[in-house]
mmCIF file of all heavy atoms in Angstrom:
data_model
loop_
_atom_site.group_PDB
_atom_site.id
_atom_site.type_symbol
_atom_site.label_atom_id
_atom_site.label_comp_id
_atom_site.label_asym_id
_atom_site.label_seq_id
_atom_site.Cartn_x
_atom_site.Cartn_y
_atom_site.Cartn_z
ATOM 1 N N ALA A 730 -13.156 16.390 25.784
ATOM 2 C CA ALA A 730 -12.649 15.147 25.193
ATOM 3 C C ALA A 730 -13.716 14.531 24.286
ATOM 4 O O ALA A 730 -13.437 14.132 23.150
ATOM 5 C CB ALA A 730 -12.266 14.179 26.306
ATOM 6 N N ILE A 761 -10.268 6.104 29.548
ATOM 7 C CA ILE A 761 -10.463 7.457 30.101
ATOM 8 C C ILE A 761 -11.762 7.433 30.891
ATOM 9 O O ILE A 761 -12.824 7.118 30.346
ATOM 10 C CB ILE A 761 -10.471 8.516 28.975
ATOM 11 C CG1 ILE A 761 -9.066 8.575 28.364
ATOM 12 C CG2 ILE A 761 -10.904 9.888 29.524
ATOM 13 C CD1 ILE A 761 -8.819 9.619 27.353
ATOM 14 N N LEU A 765 -14.256 12.245 33.125
ATOM 15 C CA LEU A 765 -13.404 13.171 32.356
ATOM 16 C C LEU A 765 -13.959 13.468 30.956
ATOM 17 O O LEU A 765 -13.456 14.352 30.267
ATOM 18 C CB LEU A 765 -11.995 12.585 32.194
ATOM 19 C CG LEU A 765 -11.147 12.438 33.455
ATOM 20 C CD1 LEU A 765 -9.807 11.803 33.121
ATOM 21 C CD2 LEU A 765 -10.924 13.797 34.119
ATOM 22 N N MET A 768 -14.771 17.014 30.233
ATOM 23 C CA MET A 768 -13.773 17.992 30.707
ATOM 24 C C MET A 768 -12.845 18.392 29.569
ATOM 25 O O MET A 768 -12.717 17.682 28.579
ATOM 26 C CB MET A 768 -12.915 17.378 31.821
ATOM 27 C CG MET A 768 -13.712 16.770 32.941
ATOM 28 S SD MET A 768 -14.294 18.033 34.060
ATOM 29 C CE MET A 768 -13.221 17.657 35.431
ATOM 30 N N TYR A 769 -12.145 19.517 29.768
ATOM 31 C CA TYR A 769 -11.167 19.954 28.776
ATOM 32 C C TYR A 769 -9.865 19.183 28.971
ATOM 33 O O TYR A 769 -9.317 19.140 30.080
ATOM 34 C CB TYR A 769 -10.878 21.456 28.925
ATOM 35 C CG TYR A 769 -12.093 22.330 28.786
ATOM 36 C CD1 TYR A 769 -12.244 23.482 29.559
ATOM 37 C CD2 TYR A 769 -13.105 22.015 27.871
ATOM 38 C CE1 TYR A 769 -13.360 24.297 29.441
ATOM 39 C CE2 TYR A 769 -14.228 22.822 27.744
ATOM 40 C CZ TYR A 769 -14.353 23.952 28.540
ATOM 41 O OH TYR A 769 -15.453 24.748 28.421
ATOM 42 N N PRO A 770 -9.315 18.616 27.889
ATOM 43 C CA PRO A 770 -8.085 17.816 28.014
ATOM 44 C C PRO A 770 -6.866 18.603 28.498
ATOM 45 O O PRO A 770 -5.886 18.002 28.904
ATOM 46 C CB PRO A 770 -7.859 17.299 26.594
ATOM 47 C CG PRO A 770 -9.199 17.347 25.957
ATOM 48 C CD PRO A 770 -9.907 18.519 26.561
ATOM 49 N N ALA A 771 -6.935 19.937 28.494
ATOM 50 C CA ALA A 771 -5.816 20.727 29.020
ATOM 51 C C ALA A 771 -5.515 20.335 30.462
ATOM 52 O O ALA A 771 -4.373 20.437 30.914
ATOM 53 C CB ALA A 771 -6.138 22.216 28.931
ATOM 54 N N THR A 772 -6.550 19.867 31.180
ATOM 55 C CA THR A 772 -6.362 19.502 32.589
ATOM 56 C C THR A 772 -5.968 18.029 32.759
ATOM 57 O O THR A 772 -5.739 17.584 33.873
ATOM 58 C CB THR A 772 -7.668 19.737 33.378
ATOM 59 O OG1 THR A 772 -8.686 18.886 32.817
ATOM 60 C CG2 THR A 772 -8.139 21.173 33.283
ATOM 61 N N PHE A 773 -5.884 17.276 31.655
ATOM 62 C CA PHE A 773 -5.578 15.844 31.738
ATOM 63 C C PHE A 773 -4.101 15.600 32.049
ATOM 64 O O PHE A 773 -3.248 16.439 31.763
ATOM 65 C CB PHE A 773 -5.888 15.151 30.397
ATOM 66 C CG PHE A 773 -7.348 14.943 30.107
ATOM 67 C CD1 PHE A 773 -8.328 15.609 30.822
ATOM 68 C CD2 PHE A 773 -7.736 14.070 29.101
ATOM 69 C CE1 PHE A 773 -9.675 15.427 30.538
ATOM 70 C CE2 PHE A 773 -9.080 13.875 28.815
ATOM 71 C CZ PHE A 773 -10.050 14.553 29.533
ATOM 72 N N SER A 774 -3.797 14.415 32.567
ATOM 73 C CA SER A 774 -2.397 14.018 32.760
ATOM 74 C C SER A 774 -1.783 13.714 31.399
ATOM 75 O O SER A 774 -2.516 13.544 30.400
ATOM 76 C CB SER A 774 -2.333 12.762 33.625
ATOM 77 O OG SER A 774 -2.761 11.645 32.874
ATOM 78 N N GLY A 775 -0.453 13.619 31.350
ATOM 79 C CA GLY A 775 0.242 13.324 30.093
ATOM 80 C C GLY A 775 -0.266 12.047 29.438
ATOM 81 O O GLY A 775 -0.516 12.007 28.237
ATOM 82 N N GLU A 777 -3.191 10.551 29.910
ATOM 83 C CA GLU A 777 -4.585 10.688 29.456
ATOM 84 C C GLU A 777 -4.648 11.442 28.134
ATOM 85 O O GLU A 777 -5.401 11.081 27.231
ATOM 86 C CB GLU A 777 -5.422 11.409 30.524
ATOM 87 C CG GLU A 777 -5.765 10.524 31.708
ATOM 88 C CD GLU A 777 -6.159 11.309 32.961
ATOM 89 O OE1 GLU A 777 -5.991 12.562 32.996
ATOM 90 O OE2 GLU A 777 -6.610 10.673 33.917
ATOM 91 N N LYS A 778 -3.826 12.480 28.017
ATOM 92 C CA LYS A 778 -3.774 13.248 26.756
ATOM 93 C C LYS A 778 -3.329 12.348 25.613
ATOM 94 O O LYS A 778 -3.894 12.377 24.523
ATOM 95 C CB LYS A 778 -2.789 14.416 26.878
ATOM 96 C CG LYS A 778 -3.325 15.610 27.607
ATOM 97 C CD LYS A 778 -2.271 16.711 27.632
ATOM 98 C CE LYS A 778 -2.611 17.768 28.660
ATOM 99 N NZ LYS A 778 -1.476 18.567 29.083
ATOM 100 N N LEU A 781 -6.088 9.973 24.592
ATOM 101 C CA LEU A 781 -7.121 10.680 23.835
ATOM 102 C C LEU A 781 -6.640 10.926 22.404
ATOM 103 O O LEU A 781 -7.374 10.751 21.431
ATOM 104 C CB LEU A 781 -7.437 12.017 24.526
ATOM 105 C CG LEU A 781 -8.479 12.891 23.835
ATOM 106 C CD1 LEU A 781 -9.842 12.211 23.838
ATOM 107 C CD2 LEU A 781 -8.581 14.255 24.520
#
Side-chain angles (χ1 to χ4, degrees):
I761 293 186
L765 293 178
M768 308 280 252
Y769 302 144
T772 62
F773 286 15
S774 73
E777 284 160 350
K778 281 181 195 159
L781 179 65

